[in-house]
Amino acid sequence: MSAMDTTEAWESGRWRADLLLRIVRLSADHTRIARQGYEGYDGDGTEDGPRQAWLDHLRGLEAEREQLETVARSAGVDATEIADARALGLYTQRLSVRNAVPDNISRQSAGQEFLLEMLSVDLWNLEHMAMLHAARADRIATGRWTVGLDPDSIARFQHNMEVRRTRVVAMADAIEVSAAEAELLWGPASTESWGAHARLVEAYDEATLAAQWTRYADAPPELPMPPYIPTDSATGAPLTRAAAAPPPIREFLDDASKALSARFIEVAVGDGDGDGSAIAEAIQAALPGINASSQDFEVSTDTTSSTTDTIGGPEPPAHHTGTDLGIDT
């Protein structure tokens, strides 16, 4: 497809992207203001005035968003796209452990800016799933895990990780992620993001970790190719390609395990008693986690950016063979 065809494809979807971005921003504003509470609102001078003014503001934002969603549906925008836009506004305000998009990555087109933000949300969730797996593997290896997960749950979790990576690949292709941007998003420069995930998961008790795992395993199926990505009518692939693809799942799992081990050492250094014993204990505790990372996770090792062969997405396993994660259930 020529550069002119690509430009025309983006321009034809500009109105759609503009609508979706407005939904994103209204959802984000509603979430941010709801979290802030009613302090700072003047109200009508009565005791309950500030709270009422705050609630009125929230209702106004919600009504405006719902009206835009109605307009979008009547204009033929897919319901999945609208739900994704609403969720993006929620996620960008709630996932405080990581900025939705690194400050020095942006796009001029409203459509591509929307895809960049959606990519970052899927990437955050993919990283978090990898960290959940690393934390669970470490706790099993060190005798700190008692919750059983059924084989089907483990298989679904793996499948959903693969689908999320496929989505990230597709969106990276669509916005033509450069090599430099890839370094920030999933390369060596993403170390800070992994550290944030490790700190977050470290605070989970066993029940919370198991609940988070189950939430991701039981999540409604995602489309491997998001419907708002401009694609070639003949191949179904994105019109453009990224300069560097996201790594395979195996590398996400390895990075998560390394970040978790580094966090153990960081805590020991910060909380050590000066004789080095806490550091030694932390390193020893980290070793089983390193050994229980991705080598038993049966995943694709494809590192290309092409999504042509995965448009339909990986099929969920008919039954669990016991080798996907290599973890006792």
Side-chain angles (χ1 to χ4, degrees):
M1 181 170 286
S2 67
M4 181 63 72
D5 291 336
T6 301
T7 301
E8 289 176 355
W10 276 115
E11 289 300 324
S12 67
R14 180 179 293 276
W15 64 269
R16 182 189 304 263
D18 286 343
L19 266 177
L20 292 172
L21 277 176
R22 289 170 66 188
I23 292 170
V24 170
R25 288 165 183 159
L26 285 168
S27 177
D29 285 347
H30 185 281
T31 304
R32 174 179 52 81
I33 291 168
R35 289 179 64 190
Q36 288 175 347
Y38 57 84
E39 290 186 8
Y41 280 80
D42 294 331
D44 57 5
T46 64
E47 182 178 350
D48 197 44
R51 181 176 179 275
Q52 189 59 51
W54 171 66
L55 289 173
D56 290 344
H57 190 182
L58 288 174
R59 293 187 185 110
L61 289 170
E62 186 172 8
E64 187 177 354
R65 176 183 55 74
E66 289 176 349
Q67 183 180 19
L68 275 177
E69 290 182 7
T70 300
V71 171
R73 281 192 295 270
S74 65
V77 179
D78 190 270
T80 303
E81 299 180 56
I82 296 171
D84 281 349
R86 187 190 318 120
L88 176 58
L90 175 66
Y91 281 132
T92 54
Q93 290 299 320
R94 292 183 65 180
L95 303 183
S96 57
V97 296
R98 172 195 175 123
N99 290 330
V101 181
D103 292 339
N104 50 348
I105 300 181
S106 63
R107 292 293 185 273
Q108 295 301 315
S109 159
Q112 291 207 353
E113 186 70 17
F114 173 73
L115 286 178
L116 174 60
E117 294 182 352
M118 291 305 296
L119 179 155
S120 72
V121 171
D122 269 323
L123 180 60
W124 191 95
N125 281 290
L126 179 57
E127 291 173 346
H128 201 60
M129 291 177 79
M131 186 60 70
L132 290 173
H133 168 71
R136 180 173 178 266
D138 173 77
R139 295 186 192 193
I140 289 174
T142 55
R144 296 178 294 129
W145 185 261
T146 61
V147 178
L149 293 176
D150 65 273
D152 286 342
S153 175
I154 295 172
R156 290 194 305 272
F157 189 89
Q158 174 185 337
H159 171 69
N160 288 343
M161 282 196 76
E162 292 281 12
V163 173
R164 280 199 184 275
R165 181 189 176 273
T166 301
R167 288 170 59 86
V168 171
V169 170
M171 287 185 275
D173 282 342
I175 64 173
E176 298 180 85
V177 167
S178 69
E181 290 171 337
E183 289 289 304
L184 294 171
L185 288 166
W186 51 70
S190 64
T191 304
E192 182 178 348
S193 174
W194 282 116
H197 282 288
R199 290 190 295 275
L200 180 63
V201 171
E202 176 193 42
Y204 290 166
D205 59 20
E206 186 179 54
T208 303
L209 182 58
Q212 287 292 312
W213 173 288
T214 301
R215 182 173 69 86
Y216 278 108
D218 294 345
E222 296 271 11
L223 293 174
M225 177 65 71
Y228 35 77
I229 291 180
T231 56
D232 186 285
S233 57
T235 66
L239 300 176
T240 53
R241 290 297 164 90
I249 295 294
R250 188 174 305 280
E251 290 188 26
F252 279 98
L253 295 170
D254 285 341
D255 286 344
S257 186
K258 291 172 185 175
L260 194 63
S261 299
R263 176 59 183 163
F264 292 153
I265 297 171
E266 177 186 336
V267 169
V269 170
D271 301 336
D273 55 12
D275 63 1
S277 60
I279 297 175
E281 290 173 6
I283 293 173
Q284 184 61 39
L287 290 176
I290 294 174
N291 294 330
S293 59
S294 71
Q295 65 268 29
D296 297 319
F297 200 125
E298 189 176 288
V299 294
S300 168
T301 57
D302 175 34
T303 59
T304 66
S305 63
S306 173
T307 56
T308 305
D309 297 329
T310 56
I311 297 303
E315 291 294 327
H319 58 85
H320 181 62
T321 63
T323 60
D324 290 339
L325 292 174
I327 296 175
D328 293 336
T329 58

